[in-house]
Amino acid sequence: MTGAALTHLIDQLPQLRGRAHADAMLAPTTWFRVGGPAEVLVRPADDDDLCAFLAALPPGLPVLPIGAASNLIVRDGGVPGVVVKLARGFGEIRLEADGIVAGAAALDVTVAEHAAAAGLAGLEFLSGIPGTIGGAVAMNAGAFGSDVAGTLDWAEIVTRSGEKRRCGVHELGLSYRHSSLPPGGVVVRARFRAQPGDPATIATRIAEIRAHREATQPVRARTGGSTFRNPPGMKAWELIEAAGCRGLARGGAQVSTKHCNFLINTGGATASDIEGLGEEVRRRVREASGVELEWEIRRIGVPGAPAGPATLPHKENET
């Protein structure tokens, strides 16, 4: 992608009240801190801005929405087309008597905290999910025995053609870590059910979830969420452990020694290091158990140079 091509693309985009940047580096916005640029990164001001922008956008141009990039590998070659990232205009949280309405850019943990302060129970699990509400809906995120599918009433989605729809939970095709959103659709808002509860009890549960994550997951490392989906009736981390992959490294990427269903950037990893390490883990698990692990982390963009061989370090180098 040359500078001329980038300028040509951004010059042909429709106007919006938000911001658009050519050749925008995505690595600083991702939890892994790796990856190439977005050809154009768009931050619409609000729902109406997003609808008008997508309606006027050439229909063949690829559009990819991202959230907090907590469960995402942006490949080193960057992302062609338009990347949409929702910001302040999509972060509103509104409390209701039996639930909560949250903008797609609201952090999951913030929604859980608002519910707790209002004495609304049933959404504590959101405090254990890194990322935003939009991403949580798009992947039917879950943790600690609950998931989005079990608590969601509806989600508002802006389609690729710029139409805003309110879809009931039954229309979204939610299954384990999966949804069936319209192609190019962007979640902008969602409503979750909750029940009256004791604020102190709810806050205690959130504190327990945080303490458990801190004790068992590499939350202070440059990492993403769980790397692979749990196969039916199995735990991905147990399969990875049994295949001898705990601590396995490739370039600057490593399988966490704290929780081996997490990959971490130890400081100098490329996206190719991280993705290549994940593929090596999949290969070793397949050879050891016959189980084909499926990625839970999304991988987007154009691959860069191939990663080098994987090795098992002699000592912990996780930070």
Side-chain angles (χ1 to χ4, degrees):
M1 296 183 293
T2 66
L6 291 169
T7 301
H8 179 71
L9 174 60
I10 200 168
D11 284 348
Q12 293 205 28
L13 297 182
Q15 295 295 310
L16 73 163
R17 287 180 287 109
R19 293 176 292 167
H21 299 282
D23 198 20
M25 292 307 300
L26 294 176
T29 72
T30 73
W31 285 36
F32 277 118
R33 298 292 191 269
V34 299
E39 191 168 2
V40 177
L41 177 64
V42 168
R43 299 176 186 264
D46 53 31
D47 294 13
D48 292 339
D49 198 24
L50 176 61
C51 288
F53 177 78
L54 291 180
L57 202 64
L61 192 62
V63 174
L64 183 69
I66 64 173
S70 59
N71 199 38
L72 186 70
I73 297 173
V74 177
R75 291 176 171 132
D76 299 308
V79 184
V82 174
V83 174
V84 175
K85 187 172 178 65
L86 305 185
R88 293 180 181 178
F90 298 86
E92 179 185 8
I93 297 173
R94 186 174 74 248
L95 295 166
E96 298 182 347
D98 60 349
I100 193 165
V101 178
L107 292 175
D108 301 329
V109 64
T110 304
V111 173
E113 289 169 345
H114 275 67
L120 292 172
L123 300 179
E124 295 89 335
F125 75 98
L126 288 172
S127 66
I129 301 173
T132 60
I133 288 298
V137 172
M139 69 170 293
N140 185 26
F144 299 93
S146 300
D147 63 10
V148 166
T151 54
L152 185 71
D153 276 337
W154 50 256
E156 287 183 351
I157 297 166
V158 176
T159 68
R160 175 61 181 80
S161 62
E163 175 190 1
K164 185 159 68 175
R165 298 180 188 169
R166 179 173 291 187
C167 300
V169 64
H170 62 283
E171 300 175 75
L172 297 175
L174 300 183
S175 58
Y176 177 64
R177 305 299 177 261
H178 173 78
S179 71
S180 298
L181 296 179
V186 183
V187 176
V188 295
R189 190 172 292 101
R191 187 187 191 279
F192 297 87
R193 296 185 305 280
Q195 305 80 41
D198 174 53
T201 302
I202 299 168
T204 297
R205 177 56 180 155
I206 289 176
E208 291 172 350
I209 289 173
R210 285 177 172 167
H212 185 271
R213 288 190 68 229
E214 182 80 27
T216 62
Q217 299 176 10
V219 295
R220 300 190 183 279
R222 294 181 179 182
T223 186
S226 296
T227 305
F228 303 108
R229 301 176 182 178
N230 289 325
M234 301 178 182
K235 297 291 187 183
W237 76 264
E238 292 179 344
L239 293 166
I240 296 167
E241 173 83 63
C245 295
R246 184 181 292 271
L248 189 68
R250 186 171 226 163
Q254 184 186 31
V255 176
S256 172
T257 57
K258 195 170 192 178
H259 189 313
C260 53
N261 197 23
F262 285 74
L263 304 181
I264 62 172
N265 175 2
T266 62
T270 64
S272 291
D273 288 339
I274 296 170
E275 185 173 7
L277 178 60
E279 288 298 331
E280 177 65 14
V281 168
R282 293 181 71 232
R283 185 189 70 79
R284 294 191 182 201
V285 167
R286 183 170 58 248
E287 288 187 354
S289 65
V291 176
E292 190 78 36
L293 290 179
E294 295 183 12
W295 284 88
E296 184 170 318
I297 287 179
R298 290 175 67 205
R299 295 151 295 143
I300 63 172
V302 178
T311 59
L312 280 168
H314 296 295
K315 62 180 181 179
E316 172 114 8
N317 62 1
E318 181 172 323
T319 56

